[in-house]
Amino acid sequence: MSDAQKLNLHVYPSPIVNESRIMRQTSAVAESGLFDAIEICGTHATGLPEEQRLDATRLIRRVGAPTERPRSVLHRVFGQIRWSIAAYRAYARRPLSVVNAHSVAVLPVCWLLARKTDARLIYDTHELETQTSTSHGVQGALFRLIERLLIRRTDAVFVVNDEIAQWYDAAYPGITATSIVNSPSQSEHGRAHDLRAAADIPPEARLYVHVGNLAHARSIPDLVAVFTQRTHDHLVFLGAGPLEDVVKDAAASRSNIHWHPPVDSANVVPTLRSADVGICTIEPTCLSYQLSLPNKAIEYTAAGVPFIFNDLPAVRRLLPAELESFQIDTVSTDLPALMDKIDENALARAREALTLAEIPRWDTESARMIAKYEELLDGPAREQANDDRSMDA
């Protein structure tokens, strides 16, 4: 690897606003000193700068033209192609040393960039990429084809938990996926936002919080319906997403339902400590969700906030047995019944049990990631190594 090649590129098809995983990863990579510069390539969006400096090493670069929300799969495919061309043009002549493809949709352009610049390629997945709720029909078939064709041409595969690592290892024999859990860093000293004070919630009322993406398969409408009937309990939605308007409409008409804008990833855990109970309900509508370990589960645990959750193996593995009583099957029927049973003694026991939970430590997770970077930088690229073996034969 030439000394001149000191740029680590991360590519993700979003405006790069609240991507805590990418921010945490790139911060750790910056601290490692392996690269002179780290750039995060995202989509251009109205109101956001084309270039945004994060620190002395990291820069967000937003490319392509702002586009309307695609109306069909065909529009999404062509939109992705247009944006990929813009990303390729922006980086094809840059001195890349490692390229991180943060979704299957950007894997083709990242592979092309790695080939063009002789860089190492990391498939840096945020979920079980080909088994999501949107991976069906034409789009799903296309994603599965891309992954099947290119995953063995990558130099490393990063995934978000052990369950998904095991799936990739079984699906693609010979591929060893590296699990890197997006845990809050103990070195992050964020600022706490008092959710109770911000929403003017009386001290005697119980405060529930739902943190994270306001998207489908998070039971958002069901949660709204439940709290519409329970005016003595308060629910704060902390986050943004496609169902943000649903939450804001509910908050406008109900005094016990509230919306709070997202906070910086370093501020999430201290902010959650102002709540009494968390909610982590991921509808298992696809294999990716079934095997997921939601960030919110780790964040609630780190904050010492007992939380209500549905049957997810990775979450069950995270929590002590004492928290089993907080598990539900359906929001509409099981949640109200459980809320009726939870008293201050139950919350106190749950808080005590959470102190025994073994949360993945970011210093351990990031060290595993940095070790993989060092391994890649010291050795030949996978495709180069394969070509060399072919020539030797």
Side-chain angles (χ1 to χ4, degrees):
M1 180 70 61
S2 168
D3 289 340
Q5 294 180 316
K6 296 291 186 178
L7 175 59
N8 177 208
L9 173 64
H10 293 252
V11 183
Y12 191 53
S14 88
I16 315 296
V17 177
N18 294 307
E19 281 72 22
S20 66
R21 181 176 178 84
I22 292 178
M23 294 302 173
R24 198 165 277 133
Q25 284 180 282
T26 55
S27 178
V29 175
E31 291 174 2
S32 73
L34 291 173
F35 304 96
D36 295 321
I38 300 167
E39 293 194 13
I40 307 167
C41 178
T43 58
H44 186 62
T46 302
L48 293 176
E50 291 185 6
E51 292 189 6
Q52 180 181 345
R53 173 63 61 181
L54 298 176
D55 51 42
T57 306
R58 297 182 298 158
L59 173 74
I60 297 173
R61 189 184 303 276
R62 300 179 177 96
V63 303
T67 57
E68 297 180 358
R69 186 175 179 85
R71 298 183 298 276
S72 67
V73 171
L74 194 60
H75 281 89
R76 286 197 294 272
V77 170
F78 281 113
Q80 181 63 47
I81 291 173
R82 286 195 299 271
W83 181 79
S84 295
I85 291 172
Y88 182 83
R89 288 174 173 169
Y91 288 97
R93 298 182 183 276
R94 301 288 301 280
L96 305 180
S97 54
V98 177
V99 180
N100 291 58
H102 282 270
S103 78
V104 67
V106 302
L107 190 53
V109 67
C110 290
W111 174 72
L112 288 172
L113 284 169
R115 292 285 288 182
K116 173 70 174 178
T117 61
D118 192 30
R120 308 298 181 257
L121 176 60
I122 298 176
Y123 184 27
D124 202 339
T125 69
H126 290 200
E127 55 187 335
L128 187 46
E129 292 284 333
T130 59
Q131 306 294 323
T132 68
S133 58
T134 59
S135 295
H136 52 76
V138 174
Q139 179 170 293
L142 183 60
F143 282 176
R144 286 187 289 274
L145 176 63
I146 290 171
E147 188 174 86
R148 188 166 61 249
L149 290 176
L150 295 182
I151 194 168
R152 297 186 188 283
R153 297 175 181 269
T154 66
D155 297 288
V157 177
F158 290 168
V159 298
V160 295
N161 64 37
D162 291 342
E163 283 78 5
I164 291 179
Q166 292 166 8
W167 186 94
Y168 273 103
D169 291 346
Y172 303 102
I175 296 294
T176 301
T178 301
S179 174
I180 302 169
V181 179
N182 184 28
S183 303
S185 172
Q186 292 184 332
S187 65
E188 292 176 356
H189 301 291
R191 180 171 68 89
H193 297 254
D194 190 332
L195 299 177
R196 187 178 292 272
D200 195 23
I201 299 171
E204 68 274 9
R206 182 166 294 163
L207 172 54
Y208 293 78
V209 61
H210 177 283
V211 64
N213 193 15
L214 300 178
H216 298 283
R218 269 73 172 174
S219 302
I220 304 297
D222 288 339
L223 290 172
V224 168
V226 167
F227 279 84
T228 296
Q229 302 299 319
R230 300 182 66 91
T231 56
H232 55 290
D233 292 314
H234 287 250
L235 172 61
V236 172
F237 288 96
L238 173 61
L243 297 184
E244 187 175 319
D245 286 343
V246 173
V247 171
K248 288 181 175 178
D249 289 345
S253 61
R254 300 290 174 178
S255 61
N256 67 320
I257 298 176
H258 315 273
W259 175 77
H260 192 291
V263 299
D264 185 84
S265 59
N267 299 335
V268 171
V269 170
T271 295
L272 292 178
R273 294 192 179 109
S274 60
D276 297 310
V277 185
I279 296 178
C280 176
T281 48
I282 305 295
E283 300 170 20
T285 56
C286 61
L287 187 58
S288 182
Y289 292 163
Q290 292 170 27
L291 299 182
S292 68
L293 176 56
N295 288 349
K296 57 176 65 68
I298 299 175
E299 291 161 346
Y300 291 139
T301 304
V305 176
F307 63 96
I308 296 166
F309 62 98
N310 58 322
D311 188 10
L312 299 175
V315 174
R316 290 202 316 270
R317 183 165 56 84
L318 172 73
L319 296 176
E322 290 83 354
L323 272 294
E324 289 180 359
S325 61
F326 281 72
Q327 180 178 321
I328 63 174
D329 290 325
T330 62
V331 169
S332 57
T333 57
D334 294 347
L335 179 58
L338 176 57
M339 292 169 70
D340 286 337
K341 295 178 182 178
I342 296 177
D343 57 21
E344 290 306 313
N345 288 332
L347 286 179
R349 291 193 300 270
R351 293 189 192 101
E352 179 65 25
L354 280 179
T355 64
L356 304 177
E358 295 185 3
I359 308 172
R361 294 173 56 92
W362 179 242
D363 55 357
T364 302
E365 302 298 313
S366 61
R368 187 183 308 118
M369 177 184 69
I370 297 303
K372 195 65 181 179
Y373 271 98
E374 293 173 337
E375 177 186 327
L376 297 184
L377 292 171
D378 288 340
R382 181 188 295 271
E383 288 197 323
Q384 177 186 333
N386 290 341
D387 291 344
D388 290 346
R389 284 194 290 270
S390 298
M391 291 176 66
D392 292 341

